[in-house]
Amino acid sequence: MATIGFLGLGNMGRPMALNLVKAGHKVTGFDLSKAACDAAAADGLPIAADGAGAVKDAEIVITMLPAGKHVVGAYTGTMNLLGAAKHGTLFIDCSTIDIASARTAAKAATDKGMLAVDAPVSGGVGGAAGATLTFMVGGADEAFTKAKPILEAMGKKIVHCGGAGNGQAAKICNNMILGISMIAVSEGFVLAKKLGLSEQALFDVSSTSSGQCWSLNTYCPVPGPVPTSPANRAYQPGFATDLMLKDMKLSQEAAQDNGAVTPLGAAASKLYELFAAQGHGGMDFSAIVTFLNGTPGKAP
Ligand code: NAD
């Protein structure tokens, strides 16, 4: 069993850290927010006085933080986790961040004699609580081999996607596909309504025809056809529009930086941005259908 320092005990990090404890690991947590520390402590997680305290005895350091600047800052800034940890410690960053920051953080870690992987997740808060996350991992073979059994305590599928940053690359490519496909499905329903075609009829046809996809078959944006989809509970997330917007923006930054042509990604990103700017960023991203049908944010 491993000694683990866990930084970032928010919506995702806290249940992930608790699953590591459940699997028998010795975990010490820390978060800049006292409220987050208190909530994790109330669940039985030992909390350090600061970041250095959480990592000084660790063989493995896991971060689950908001954005790239937080990860690079925690590794090399005033918190200086790379200075506080023992030589050879494995750093696993599970945050969803931009690829350039992921590669900067990994290089800073390996330059200091550490092992490092980026390992962003899909599966959301439910997957974090149930230890059913999918991890997309970027990093050297040795680091991946050491990270895998640790990630298995928090998830059910662990995929090695290549070198440093490639976990983030897989995550944002997947979520760009998802963001676009949800809008495509929503447009289908908006047009069907204008044509006098029922939502159920379109679903029955498209979910078994060439229009089928996860956004339609599993996460249908209109209420009725798929009873478990957020559309049936007033678009409570699920996966909030603000988080989808974050990932869409990361995909567009990466596309621009690397000369990829993604016009539908750009258009989809803009639509989620407009919807969020109207104050609906907390709704599930499938509520984009309400923006397209002219009743933004109005749950059926
Ligand atoms: P959150 O805001 O609930 O938690 C982030 C925590 O990090 C906060 O408690 C914050 O105080 C803490 N933090 C920031 N800088 C820190 C530092 N230097 N040291 C210690 N703690 C620090 O966010 P979340 O929903 O848990 O998401 C975390 C990451 O997971 C994000 O990158 C997000 O994009 C990604 N993600 C979230 C979901 C989801 O459904 N919430 C799904 C997949 C991926």
Side-chain angles (χ1 to χ4, degrees), residues 3 8 29 54 97 108 123 128 161 168 209 237 245 270 286:
T3 303
I97 67 172
C161 300
Q168 301 293 350
S209 305
L245 179 58
K270 194 75 211 159
S286 61

Side-chain angles (χ1 to χ4, degrees), residues 15-136:
M16 290 166 69
L18 292 170
N19 280 328
L20 290 168
V21 173
K22 222 181 272 173
H25 297 294
K26 183 170 181 288
V27 185
T28 304
F30 180 70
D31 194 294
L32 290 177
S33 148
K34 185 173 175 322
C37 288
D38 290 348
D43 287 335
L45 189 75
I47 303 293
D50 54 21
V55 308
K56 67 181 171 41
D57 298 321
E59 300 145 64
I60 291 169
V61 173
I62 301 179
T63 42
M64 192 53 165
L65 308 179
K69 64 181 180 197
H70 303 102
V71 176
V72 175
Y75 278 30
T76 62
T78 45
M79 194 176 265
N80 193 17
L81 298 180
L82 292 177
K86 291 181 294 197
H87 189 266
T89 299
L90 169 62
F91 276 71
I92 303 176
D93 178 41
C94 294
S95 327
T96 301
I97 67 172
D98 62 284
I99 294 166
S101 293
R103 290 183 175 151
T104 299
K107 182 168 185 319
T110 51
D111 284 353
K112 280 263 186 188
M114 312 292 183
L115 297 171
V117 293
D118 51 294
V121 305
S122 92
V125 176
T132 56
L133 294 168
T134 295
F135 286 89
M136 295 147 264

Side-chain angles (χ1 to χ4, degrees), residues 163-299:
N166 278 21
Q168 301 293 350
K171 164 91 186 174
I172 62 168
C173 289
N174 178 71
N175 280 16
M176 185 179 77
I177 295 170
L178 172 63
I180 294 169
S181 74
M182 182 54 77
I183 290 173
V185 168
S186 297
E187 288 188 1
F189 280 111
V190 168
L191 177 59
K193 189 164 194 181
K194 295 281 184 198
L195 298 174
L197 177 65
S198 77
E199 289 165 343
Q200 189 65 51
L202 176 61
F203 180 85
D204 289 345
V205 172
S206 287
S207 65
T208 53
S209 305
S210 45
Q212 65 181 273
C213 61
W214 189 87
S215 292
L216 177 67
N217 290 38
T218 305
Y219 215 75
C220 187
V222 297
V226 179
T228 50
S229 77
N232 299 283
R233 47 171 203 268
Y235 297 105
Q236 280 167 28
F239 187 50
T241 299
D242 280 340
L243 289 174
M244 173 53 85
L245 179 58
K246 172 188 172 183
D247 292 356
M248 292 301 296
K249 283 184 169 169
L250 288 176
S251 77
Q252 293 314 292
E253 261 173 57
Q256 267 166 25
D257 289 351
N258 295 281
V261 180
T262 58
L264 291 183
S269 185
K270 194 75 211 159
L271 292 174
Y272 290 113
E273 190 171 9
L274 290 171
F275 186 53
Q278 292 176 332
H280 307 305
M283 295 181 87
D284 188 79
F285 80 108
S286 61
I288 194 72
V289 70
T290 68
F291 177 84
L292 297 167
N293 71 15
T295 56
K298 192 168 173 298

